[in-house]
Amino acid sequence: MKKSSVVKSILELIAEAQKLADNIGIPYILQPGIIKEMIIADILGHDLITDKHGADACDPVDSKIKYEYLTCNVGGSGQLDRMFKAPPKERKESLSRITRNKAIYLAVFDKNSLDVKAIYEIQPKVLLKEAERKLDNSKNNISHVGFSENWAKKHGTVVFPKEEKKVRTDT
């Protein structure tokens, strides 16, 4: 297959995906992060929130229950961008991106793919403590605050893949 026909096929699929996305309120399917957020919401059974300035998802029964998603590739770290160390008003507003949620999820994707290796659930108060520590130690007033998979393993709970319970068959 020629490269140009593959590109044409990809563009047609993206156009079709955008038509579908329009039907559920996603104005721009290529918005950074939206595809991965869709994947995570689907795995966790959450409702995606498409507003760029709010939480990433909510509970399907109670939309007041919010969730935040962080993503990274294997070996990377998920981050909260543009977090303020100071002044106090901006810091509090930045940290509300953590505290407004019932849970924070770090999804680890296999490198260069849309396959999820693991998802860790982290309690907001735990993530908040680490974010405040990192902001306090930052030399900058505005920072990106990252959380590695190793940190999430120590401070969170694996929610995907779910461990299968082994059934004894030797009875």
Side-chain angles (χ1 to χ4, degrees):
M1 193 180 258
K2 287 176 64 177
K3 188 175 183 178
S4 61
S5 63
V6 171
V7 168
K8 184 176 173 120
S9 294
I10 291 169
L11 294 174
E12 288 169 356
L13 289 168
I14 291 171
E16 183 63 28
Q18 184 59 63
K19 286 178 190 172
L20 290 170
D22 285 339
N23 292 329
I24 59 168
I26 300 173
Y28 183 53
I29 195 75
L30 299 178
Q31 169 186 315
I34 195 76
I35 301 295
K36 287 184 175 182
E37 290 169 5
M38 291 169 69
I39 292 167
I40 299 163
D42 183 58
I43 289 170
L44 298 176
H46 297 160
D47 281 348
L48 183 69
I49 296 175
T50 58
D51 177 18
K52 195 168 168 52
H53 300 291
D56 295 321
C58 64
D59 184 271
V61 176
D62 184 351
S63 63
K64 292 179 189 147
I65 298 173
K66 308 288 188 212
Y67 306 109
E68 187 72 22
Y69 299 153
L70 305 175
T71 65
C72 66
N73 288 334
V74 172
S77 65
Q79 65 181 23
L80 292 165
D81 294 345
R82 297 191 49 77
M83 297 292 287
F84 284 79
K85 175 179 182 172
K89 181 182 175 192
E90 278 84 354
R91 180 180 174 122
K92 183 177 179 183
E93 192 174 307
S94 288
L95 294 172
S96 75
R97 292 168 52 201
I98 298 169
T99 58
R100 70 183 172 204
N101 301 290
K102 181 177 181 182
I104 315 289
Y105 295 90
L106 174 66
V108 181
F109 285 79
D110 283 329
K111 207 167 196 104
N112 301 322
S113 90
L114 298 178
D115 295 326
V116 178
K117 176 190 164 226
I119 301 176
Y120 299 88
E121 181 180 287
I122 305 156
Q123 293 305 306
K125 64 183 178 184
V126 173
L127 196 96
L128 177 64
K129 185 177 178 181
E130 180 67 1
E132 287 180 317
R133 185 189 72 76
K134 288 185 174 197
L135 287 173
D136 290 343
N137 291 330
S138 176
K139 295 175 184 163
N140 304 318
N141 276 342
I142 302 174
S143 299
H144 300 313
V145 180
F147 306 90
S148 70
E149 182 177 8
N150 285 336
W151 183 88
K153 279 180 188 176
K154 290 177 189 169
H155 300 281
T157 305
V158 176
V159 295
F160 179 85
K162 293 185 180 193
E163 278 192 39
E164 293 181 28
K165 296 199 171 161
K166 295 191 170 130
V167 177
R168 289 188 62 179
T169 57
D170 62 338
T171 55

